[in-house]
Amino acid sequence: MSSKPVKLSAGRALTPGAIALMLMLCLSWGFNQIAVKLVLADVPPMLQALARSIGALPVLLLIGWFRGVKFFERDGTLWPGVIAGTIFGIEFVLIYRGLLLTSASRAVVFLYVAPFFVALGSFVFLGERLRAPQWGGLALSFAGVALAIGVPQTNVDAKVLLGDFLIVVGGALWAATTLIVKTTALIKAPAEKGLGYQVAISIPILALAAWISGETITHVPGPLSLALLAYQAFWVVGLTFLLWFALVKTYSASKLSAFTFVTPLFGVAASYFILHDTLTIAFGVAALLVIAGLYLVNKPDPKIVPDPNLPA
């Protein structure tokens, strides 16, 4: 393995194209929450996550092969990849376990503490200093998510709090994988290889978790469930996670992560159209909070004059 030091980079500010791509990713991830819920009647959560990783791996290998990626080249990414993959697998184990203890609405809110961990980690490890308005923007976006999902809630006991804690740790691990990519040799690896580590290593971890949990499939899933499983595996993990990995390597980690606040809002909207859940005026207010927060996070610093020689 290579022993050359990795030059750390916070990444450049988001371009309009990157913002549009992030919105597409968030829309896909928001619908993914509905897809998981619709499939639960046929496939338990851990097995869903396992099927997702198993289905996504050949997609990544095929795309990498088409692009000439050398998956087995010794480039110093093995151990960072193993660590990121282990964290990736444990992250989903904690999130799905937490969902068994707490409500889905609370889980979504607590999962999206991840941008705060990314911002803190970017400050510590990348020197990516957020100004006061940007921290305020993160707080506004988080408040919007909380309002859209409908917290605080009553009837919270120790069991629910344990579930909340597991979700928060899952969000922290999500942030950790982002920071590992930014601070190790993975930053120079092709996106297919970097994500391939995570997906491949998550398979035995999720299989073990499903076995320990005693999950089984008692009947053949219906056509809708199979289609939604394919959506999760091929589109969400195989393609959108790949695009996210590529974006993380290039752009500001904290600003990219801030955009994930939009995901649960898309999830709430999708639940209205697909599951016929009721939307309220609070959702409109929540959307405005998220948009205002994202504006503050991505607003350029007026004290910094862009270098015309740098790419946009």
Side-chain angles (χ1 to χ4, degrees):
M1 293 188 297
S2 173
S3 60
K4 294 181 180 180
V6 178
K7 183 179 179 181
L8 304 184
S9 172
R12 52 195 175 99
L14 272 63
T15 63
I19 291 173
L21 185 56
M22 273 304 305
L23 289 174
M24 184 273 289
L25 297 183
C26 291
L27 176 61
S28 300
W29 297 338
F31 177 74
N32 183 64
Q33 299 173 19
I34 307 303
V36 172
K37 188 171 182 178
L38 290 173
V39 178
L40 280 176
D42 290 332
V43 184
M46 294 291 185
L47 288 177
Q48 275 197 61
L50 175 61
R52 190 172 71 168
S53 290
I54 292 174
L57 187 57
V59 174
L60 295 174
L61 293 175
L62 183 61
I63 294 175
W65 173 79
F66 181 77
R67 295 185 63 241
V69 173
K70 298 178 180 179
F71 286 99
F72 301 102
E73 182 182 32
R74 300 182 65 180
D75 54 5
T77 62
L78 177 60
W79 286 112
V82 169
I83 294 171
T86 302
I87 293 174
F88 182 81
I90 296 174
E91 168 197 336
F92 284 104
V93 170
L94 293 177
I95 290 172
Y96 283 121
R97 182 61 184 172
L99 282 168
L100 297 176
L101 302 174
T102 189
S103 67
S105 59
R106 294 177 66 87
V108 171
V109 172
F110 288 117
L111 177 60
Y112 283 84
V113 300
F116 291 95
F117 289 114
V118 171
L120 180 61
S122 296
F123 172 78
V124 173
F125 299 110
L126 300 175
E128 186 177 339
R129 300 180 181 274
L130 295 182
R131 294 170 285 116
Q134 293 175 303
W135 284 108
L138 284 171
L140 275 179
S141 293
F142 185 79
V145 170
L147 180 60
I149 304 300
V151 294
Q153 297 178 1
T154 58
N155 302 323
V156 174
D157 56 17
K159 179 181 176 181
V160 173
L161 291 176
L162 175 59
D164 294 342
F165 174 74
L166 293 177
I167 298 295
V168 169
V169 177
L173 293 181
W174 177 17
T177 58
T178 300
L179 293 170
I180 288 172
V181 170
K182 297 289 288 186
T183 58
T184 68
L186 288 172
I187 191 68
K188 297 181 179 180
E192 296 88 347
K193 184 172 184 177
L195 183 57
Y197 279 120
Q198 298 180 44
V199 172
I201 294 173
S202 73
I203 291 175
I205 294 174
L206 292 169
L208 178 62
W211 178 72
I212 293 175
S213 301
E215 291 188 355
T216 58
I217 298 177
T218 59
H219 57 275
V220 179
L224 177 60
S225 292
L226 292 175
L228 291 176
L229 280 173
Y231 169 81
Q232 293 180 55
F234 303 144
W235 175 251
V236 174
V237 180
L239 293 175
T240 68
F241 280 18
L242 184 62
L243 291 172
W244 164 258
F245 195 98
L247 287 170
V248 164
K249 291 175 55 180
T250 304
Y251 295 98
S252 163
S254 58
K255 293 182 179 180
L256 277 175
S257 190
F259 259 91
T260 62
F261 276 118
V262 181
T263 301
L265 296 183
F266 282 134
V268 172
S271 69
Y272 171 76
F273 290 108
I274 299 172
L275 301 177
H276 307 294
D277 289 347
T278 301
L279 293 184
T280 64
I281 295 176
F283 178 80
V285 177
L288 291 177
L289 286 174
V290 172
I291 292 171
L294 292 176
Y295 170 76
L296 289 175
V297 169
N298 290 281
K299 183 180 179 181
D301 188 344
K303 298 179 182 179
I304 298 178
V305 178
D307 186 346
N309 297 317
L310 293 178

